[in-house]
Amino acid sequence: MYRGIGCSIPNEHGQSLGNILAPVDLAKHVWKLGNSEAYFVEQNNFAESFFSDDDYERGIDGADLQKRLHKNTYYTIFVDLQGYPSDQFTAITTYEDFLKSDCEIVILLTDCTYFNFYCKNPQLIEKLYNHAKAQQFDDLQYLTEENDGRTKWSVW
């Protein structure tokens, strides 16, 4: 059984996270934001933080997140996002926690390039895998119990 996918995305400013997540309807979820560091980029310089204090406190509306990821230039360093059907969030630190929760998707980006996508929907995992393959993202693999070395879900 596939837990999700892992790959490397380009370490550059632009819309890399939005590009890899293009097949995912982010608007269907409310997103709990964990430890994350990302910045809008203006004239090749870091500008304000991509995530606000409000995002950490209340979560991010899916339509707003989708718009941010596809309409702006930004640079992502660390990202921890958990997609829920409503704004009722729970603490998730392991894959087992994820399976027991209402959370449907977990997105983890570490050190600007290492992308992991966990999902309870096998069709969405397959769709995202095929998209990443077509986009020729490096180090693409399905995440399984055998090859997923993550013991804690943290990007720090």
Side-chain angles (χ1 to χ4, degrees):
M1 179 179 147
Y2 298 134
R3 294 178 172 194
I5 72 161
C7 66
S8 297
I9 64 173
N11 181 3
E12 59 192 19
H13 67 270
Q15 297 177 337
S16 295
L17 196 56
N19 292 341
I20 185 74
L21 292 170
V24 180
D25 186 357
L26 300 172
K28 288 185 175 180
H29 298 87
V30 179
W31 296 89
K32 177 183 177 187
L33 181 62
N35 292 330
S36 299
E37 184 176 0
Y39 301 93
F40 289 107
V41 174
E42 295 175 5
Q43 299 176 353
N44 288 330
N45 293 310
F46 288 176
E48 66 188 74
S49 177
F50 191 79
F51 300 113
S52 70
D53 290 342
D54 220 29
D55 294 338
Y56 285 99
E57 292 172 18
R58 296 187 183 144
I60 307 170
D61 173 74
D64 181 40
L65 180 62
Q66 192 155 333
K67 181 180 173 183
R68 278 193 234 177
L69 290 175
H70 294 286
K71 303 239 185 240
N72 295 288
T73 300
Y74 50 88
Y75 186 74
T76 50
I77 301 169
F78 297 99
V79 176
D80 177 348
L81 288 165
Q82 298 173 2
Y84 290 82
S86 72
D87 63 357
Q88 301 301 307
F89 304 138
T90 56
I92 296 176
T93 58
T94 66
Y95 183 72
E96 290 71 26
D97 292 344
F98 170 63
L99 290 178
K100 295 174 190 172
S101 74
D102 288 336
C103 182
E104 297 175 349
I105 296 172
V106 173
I107 298 165
L108 301 171
L109 179 70
T110 309
D111 293 336
C112 309
T113 61
Y114 304 108
F115 174 83
N116 291 123
F117 176 88
Y118 295 87
C119 184
K120 293 178 180 173
N121 179 333
Q123 291 83 16
L124 185 54
I125 293 171
E126 185 72 24
K127 188 176 181 180
L128 191 63
Y129 181 90
N130 290 332
H131 170 73
K133 186 175 181 180
Q135 297 298 311
Q136 300 180 333
F137 286 105
D138 293 333
D139 307 316
L140 178 62
Q141 65 178 341
Y142 285 109
L143 298 174
T144 65
E145 185 175 345
E146 290 77 32
N147 72 358
D148 185 11
R150 225 177 244 289
T151 57
K152 281 192 155 189
W153 282 5
S154 174
V155 294
W156 293 114

